[in-house]
Amino acid sequence: MNPVESEAREPGAVRPGRSVHIAGIGSYAPERVLTNQELEKMVDTTDEWIMTRSGIRERRIAAEGQSTSDLGAEAARAALADAGLGPGDVDLIIVATASPDMLFPSTACQLQHKLGARKVAAFDISAACSGFIYALEVGRQFVASGAHDTVLVVGADKLSSITDWTDRATCVLFGDAAGAVVLRHEPGRRGILSTLLGADGSQKEILNVPAGGSAMPATEQTVRDRMHCIRMSGREVFKLAVNAMLGAAREALAKSGLSLDEISCVIPHQANMRIIEAISDRLGIGMERFQVNLQQYGNTSAASIPVALDEAVKRGRIKRGDNVLLVAFGGGLTWGSAVLQW
Ligand code: ACO
């Protein structure tokens, strides 16, 4: 960091303004379950390899015709119901996704229409698996500043639509789902205590979807070569993921003023059990304090954190007043962490 930057306000520090809390949460996963045993018949893999390398047993796959905005709309309805609100109460819609319905219009615009929300601003955020934490922080800023009162933040991905189903190194890892939260200010509730966001654009080669954008427009050849699908150097991503998540979690915690002992529950991005265990080990927070559901869902990208958070809340694992640590990393590379008081 150069001296000029170090004198500036710390990026990600929670500025004075209204406190912002999660007033409602919901999630959705499609019905169709794809098991490791089924994958054994599709590519040269085994249940044992997938379980030992990733911890994933099964994942959900969207139905024919079900797009990312459909998944997001289901989660959004559940989050609004949980907040005791309706679509007409929403002031702003933010959708984090790496698998948008189309290049444009945004998935958030599609979701606004499907939800029957008012004609309020709606836009997407692209930060792959860190997308939900990015969107949470952007939404928080709008509520904290007083610009908006009720912000709908959705993390939704239909990774099955950009998965190369002939590539055993990636197709066993991903799944489809969506999660959503409603952000509001309520006097006396602290809510989001701190956030930390970061990115390293030099690492795009280890995790990307090469074709279909302006850098490599779609051609018959790119389609034949499956270049509209996720490409990943798993081992490289693994190493960077652990360090990025550790750094983000430590910085968010330091900014929150809380100690590790005061965190009741950690909600990590659900990519790989071994990554989560490494974080647990190096952070010094036992696995019993981690919410892990990747066995059932695989890596659902931007949906992974809100889906796991919703489960932890619905199961009574997170109660009012508990401190919760969210931490993610994803393509970009991107990373993010947030500390909340529930
Ligand atoms: N079944 C059987 N064998 C396989 C499979 C499979 N499904 N996939 C790969 N292999 C083989 C490889 O070909 C390789 O064989 P070789 O040694 O003969 O060359 C061997 O298994 C080991 O492969 P590695 O990739 O080195 O295995 P590793 O232990 O690193 O595990 C994994 C792979 C699970 C992908 C791991 O690296 C990982 O989880 N990385 C992080 C990925 C991740 O978290 N991505 C999240 C971001 S996604 C996003 O942002 C959208």
Side-chain angles (χ1 to χ4, degrees), residues 43-46 49-50 53-54 98 127-130 159 162 167-174 207 230 232-239 241 269-272 274-275 299 301 329-332 334:
V43 286
D44 180 16
T45 191
T46 60
W49 192 96
I50 303 170
R53 300 291 177 129
S54 73
C129 303
S130 312
L159 290 188
I162 52 168
D167 175 18
R168 68 177 185 172
T170 54
C171 76
V172 301
L173 302 173
F174 303 119
L207 180 55
I230 299 168
M232 182 172 74
S233 310
R235 208 171 276 182
E236 300 308 312
V237 174
F238 194 116
K239 278 187 263 171
H269 171 47
Q270 312 280 317
N272 185 307
R274 289 185 294 149
I275 292 177
N299 177 353
S301 190
F329 74 96
T334 56

Side-chain angles (χ1 to χ4, degrees), residues 52-126:
T52 46
R53 300 291 177 129
S54 73
I56 300 164
R57 193 169 50 237
E58 58 190 39
R59 67 288 293 144
R60 302 295 185 89
I61 304 294
E64 188 84 31
Q66 206 175 21
S67 70
T68 297
S69 65
D70 292 314
L71 309 181
E74 292 285 351
R77 282 185 199 104
L80 285 166
D82 188 46
L85 300 171
D89 297 310
V90 174
D91 295 333
L92 175 70
I93 299 171
I94 307 174
V95 174
T97 187
S99 48
D101 284 18
M102 44 186 88
L103 277 179
F104 78 89
S106 70
T107 302
C109 287
Q110 308 309 300
L111 187 140
Q112 179 216 56
H113 178 62
K114 288 174 182 173
L115 211 53
R118 289 179 295 127
K119 293 183 173 41
V120 296
F123 60 90
D124 287 0
I125 283 188
S126 172

Side-chain angles (χ1 to χ4, degrees), residues 194-217:
S194 65
T195 54
L196 185 287
L197 304 177
D200 178 0
S202 71
Q203 296 291 346
K204 80 166 194 283
E205 297 308 330
I206 65 169
L207 180 55
N208 63 26
V209 176
S214 61
M216 196 186 289

